Amino acid sequence: IKSRLIDPQDWLGREALLKRAIAARGLDCGCEHHQYGWMLANVGRIGDSVEQLQQANDMLALYVYTPLNLAEALVAAGKPDQAKRYFDAAIELAPDSAFAKRLALHKALMTGDIEPLQDPTSPLSAEQRAALLEGYRALASGSPEAKAQAVRALVALPKDQQNDKVASLLAQLGANHEAFQMAAWLAANKYAGPSIFWYPSMRTSLDDPGFPALATQLGLMEYWKTTGKKPDVCNEKAAPSFCKMI
């Protein structure tokens, strides 16, 4: 609980508290593993995040956010097929049908299925649904003109409709700077935090010239340098340029 009450960007302080929780007598809910796993997902340590979230899910699989966060971490790890069963578990645990429908759409878009976007009753505004559909169709067409038009439609969405799905699609359409700008705002202002940057679909946004400054602002650089634990993406053969600054 203390780890949730301190500065959310004090990754070092939060990790120290969470490690103390894990070292103490285990909780029946696995909450300490869940919270630590989510923290690790935010700092880009996706492999370690999956391990912690799997432990949490083994201990308490009946809390909707435990399998949901595990599924999201598996997508970030490049394992969307493995993630599907945990998305399905979260959907079954949803407390009401409206929440279940939102989770089903989330699962579909996170695992590459855009079919639900064609359903006019999907839990999206008509404007957002149309912009996302246009973007995915432009992506499939390969047409530079269609992609450019789709980017304009996505960027023009109202601020409250510019979510992680929109940022991800912008990156896939080649609008890397626009994707970075949107993700940067989400990382600083939304609960999911910097975790948005570690999905494979957002990989190109990490090469934006503004990313090192953002990582510093969010406290990530301090965490990586102090712990010596770089984000997993820095282990890639063609790692992003910011990795050289750690």
Side-chain angles (χ1 to χ4, degrees):
I1 292 174
K2 287 181 180 179
S3 75
R4 295 294 306 278
L5 295 175
I6 65 174
D7 181 352
Q9 294 174 6
D10 179 6
W11 307 107
L12 293 167
R14 290 176 64 187
E15 182 170 45
L17 288 165
L18 289 164
K19 282 185 172 180
R20 283 177 58 193
I22 288 171
R25 184 179 63 183
L27 298 172
D28 289 341
C29 66
C31 311
E32 64 277 53
H33 293 289
H34 188 178
Q35 291 300 322
Y36 189 31
W38 186 239
M39 192 225 90
L40 291 170
N42 273 277
V43 299
R45 294 174 55 190
I46 304 303
D48 292 332
S49 170
V50 168
E51 181 180 332
Q52 290 293 327
L53 290 168
Q54 283 177 329
Q55 289 188 61
N57 198 62
D58 287 345
M59 295 175 73
L60 183 68
L62 298 180
Y63 176 52
V64 61
Y65 291 105
T66 310
L68 178 60
N69 288 160
L70 174 55
E72 291 168 336
L74 285 167
V75 171
K79 301 174 180 178
D81 287 340
Q82 292 184 32
K84 291 177 181 178
R85 60 178 288 207
Y86 298 106
F87 276 125
D88 289 340
I91 292 167
E92 290 182 7
L93 291 166
D96 57 65
S97 60
F99 190 18
K101 195 163 188 176
R102 291 197 300 273
L103 289 180
L105 179 62
H106 181 56
K107 171 199 171 184
L109 296 182
M110 290 287 280
T111 57
D113 178 12
I114 68 167
E115 184 69 25
L117 284 177
Q118 302 185 52
D119 179 1
T121 67
S122 64
L124 295 171
S125 70
E127 187 178 15
Q128 187 183 39
R129 188 172 68 86
L132 287 168
L133 263 178
E134 181 179 358
Y136 283 114
R137 286 168 177 166
L139 190 63
S141 75
S143 165
E145 294 80 11
K147 288 181 179 181
Q149 176 57 39
V151 168
R152 288 191 289 270
L154 290 165
V155 171
L157 286 170
K159 197 74 171 179
D160 62 351
Q161 295 181 34
Q162 295 180 2
N163 58 18
D164 56 333
K165 310 300 186 302
V166 176
S168 171
L169 185 50
L170 283 170
Q172 293 175 72
L173 288 166
N176 298 333
H177 185 59
E178 291 84 352
F180 167 76
Q181 289 181 312
M182 193 173 293
W185 185 85
L186 292 168
N189 295 283
K190 297 296 181 180
Y191 172 75
S195 65
I196 184 175
F197 281 106
W198 313 120
Y199 293 108
S201 58
M202 290 294 296
R203 172 64 179 77
T204 54
S205 69
L206 297 176
D207 292 315
D208 190 275
F211 185 79
L214 176 68
T216 299
Q217 174 192 333
L218 297 178
L220 295 172
M221 279 292 189
E222 180 185 8
Y223 174 83
W224 295 328
K225 290 179 178 180
T226 302
T227 63
K229 301 286 188 179
K230 296 182 180 182
D232 290 2
V233 72
C234 290
N235 297 324
E236 294 180 0
K237 186 174 182 180
S241 57
F242 80 86
C243 295
K244 298 177 182 178
M245 304 177 186
I246 301 174

